[in-house]
Amino acid sequence: MIVKDSVSMRVLAIESSCDESAMCVMEIADGQIRIISNLVATHDMLSYKGVVPEVAARQHLHMLPKMLQQIKHLLPSVSFIAATCEPGLMGGLIMGMCVGKSLAVALNKPFYAVDHIKAHALSPLIENPQIKFPYICLLVSGGHTMLIKVQNFNDMQVLGRTKDDAMGELFDKIGVQLDLGFPAGPKIEKYALKGDSSRFKLPVPKIKNNQWDFSFSGLKTAFSKIIKENVNDQSSQSSHVNNQAFQNSQADDQADQIRYDIAASLQDVVKRVCMEKLILCFEYHPDVQYYAVCGGVASNLYIRQNMLEVAQKYGKNMYFPSHSLCTDNAAMIAFTALFGDKIDDLNASVKSSLRW
Ligand code: KG4
Ligand code: ZN
């Protein structure tokens, strides 16, 4: 990382754009970046089977002051405050910005508003300063699916984005139908280990005259149909026909296997989507040698392994931030406030959608 040796700064950053409340104190000193404190609380949305904006906002109201209490001894040493201003859920953004601005006023320090997507795109640099500009970041989470070319800290170009659901959302929505709880991604990865991905092999979705954007709604419909025909209908048939214990246990094994096969097929088609997009980048952006994948779905080892292999085959460098920096976190907001684009303004407002 290019940091002048003499520069020494500390930022307190807040992230609250979705269902994670997070606070980080990050420092640059002696040319080194150091995370002094990095707190994250993920709200339990299991019973809602999805993120409920008002419930998330109430959780931020509960968690952000508690986090502040934990790090309040660091406040006198902080040079400025930052918070996520966009995109995200309105209630959460307002909570975080309000806490951030109030702190800045009380401490008489500058306040910076940070774009959450730019922060995700810069997050691979926190642990991997060897990544060189320009690099391409595939952001795949519960809320976002984007391919971003990062020219430098401030200049980023969206190469592709989802036209409908996010990649993680596909895992979660199919997971709910398979009764796997929420969020379902980690469980689908586990189930897939026992499954046969060729049983329900679906093609990679295509968008007419557009090879850069993503679309997952067709896959969602196709998997819902598979579940209806193979899981729901099977279980109602087996409860009617098989009343002997032996037959029931056999039917249970079969029903489990169908779930494993659906999980493996889902994970496999998502992997193929990621790989196609990567190969497209390799072909159209030969100048780019560095790649990174972040967002919750990037935790999936099967997808990671395949992305790594394809990158190696093309002679490209591939990075995956550690899990805590893949999912929503305040370290990436702190890092962006230190190095990247930010709005230096106490009047900065919030916005639910992406501006660029
Ligand atoms: O980045 P993140 O916290 O998302 C947002 O807040 O938007 O990631 C959460 C998403 C969920 O959709 C979850 O199901 C998915 O990432 N996820 C996974 C895995 N772990 C988390 N998807 C597939 N495989 C995993 N191992
Ligand atoms: Zn995010």
Side-chain angles (χ1 to χ4, degrees), residues 85-213:
C85 61
E86 62 189 56
L89 302 174
M90 217 25 119
L93 292 171
I94 291 171
M95 282 299 312
M97 287 280 279
C98 191
V99 171
K101 287 185 183 190
S102 307
L103 268 178
V105 171
L107 296 170
N108 200 22
K109 304 284 179 194
F111 173 79
Y112 296 140
V114 171
D115 181 315
H116 180 87
I117 299 297
K118 287 189 173 163
H120 266 304
L122 292 179
S123 67
L125 293 169
I126 300 174
E127 294 168 313
N128 300 289
Q130 67 274 34
I131 295 177
K132 298 215 171 23
F133 296 122
Y135 66 89
I136 289 178
C137 177
L138 174 61
L139 168 58
V140 280
S141 72
H144 330 285
T145 300
M146 297 172 83
L147 206 45
I148 303 168
K149 186 168 184 181
V150 186
Q151 301 284 3
N152 56 50
F153 287 115
N154 301 317
D155 182 8
M156 299 182 195
Q157 178 195 358
V158 179
L159 303 177
R161 65 180 91 208
T162 183
K163 293 272 185 205
D164 38 61
D165 292 340
M167 195 178 280
E169 210 176 341
L170 173 67
F171 278 96
D172 296 336
K173 287 185 173 162
I174 299 304
V176 165
Q177 294 176 37
L178 289 172
D179 275 332
L180 300 182
F182 177 88
K187 209 147 187 193
I188 288 181
E189 183 176 7
K190 263 196 200 145
Y191 270 40
L193 291 172
K194 300 187 219 166
D196 172 6
S197 63
S198 63
R199 177 151 175 199
F200 303 108
K201 201 167 177 94
L202 290 171
V204 168
K206 301 277 178 230
I207 305 174
K208 206 171 167 201
N209 301 327
N210 178 347
Q211 44 182 354
W212 288 96
D213 286 334

Side-chain angles (χ1 to χ4, degrees), residues 18-127:
C18 190
D19 61 337
E20 267 95 18
S21 308
M23 229 175 244
C24 174
V25 176
M26 184 180 275
E27 169 184 274
I28 313 175
D30 303 324
Q32 296 291 322
I33 291 160
R34 224 159 45 99
I35 295 176
I36 312 290
S37 170
N38 195 18
L39 306 172
V40 184
T42 303
H43 310 157
D44 184 0
M45 296 284 171
L46 186 61
S47 55
Y48 304 101
K49 299 180 177 170
V51 177
V52 181
E54 190 188 323
V55 175
R58 286 172 188 273
Q59 298 279 6
H60 295 308
L61 178 64
H62 182 65
M63 287 312 300
L64 291 176
K66 283 194 173 202
M67 291 180 165
L68 202 49
Q69 202 143 34
Q70 279 190 54
I71 57 166
K72 72 173 181 217
H73 59 286
L74 296 170
L75 289 180
S77 66
V78 161
S79 325
F80 58 90
I81 310 289
T84 305
C85 61
E86 62 189 56
L89 302 174
M90 217 25 119
L93 292 171
I94 291 171
M95 282 299 312
M97 287 280 279
C98 191
V99 171
K101 287 185 183 190
S102 307
L103 268 178
V105 171
L107 296 170
N108 200 22
K109 304 284 179 194
F111 173 79
Y112 296 140
V114 171
D115 181 315
H116 180 87
I117 299 297
K118 287 189 173 163
H120 266 304
L122 292 179
S123 67
L125 293 169
I126 300 174
E127 294 168 313

Side-chain angles (χ1 to χ4, degrees), residues 174 177-178 200 220-237 258-259 262:
I174 299 304
Q177 294 176 37
L178 289 172
F200 303 108
K220 186 176 66 186
T221 308
F223 276 107
S224 299
K225 193 161 172 277
I226 289 170
I227 292 169
K228 187 180 175 308
E229 287 168 0
N230 294 276
V231 179
N232 303 348
D233 292 355
Q234 285 258 336
S235 54
S236 66
Q237 268 173 29
I258 290 170
R259 290 175 135 77
I262 291 172

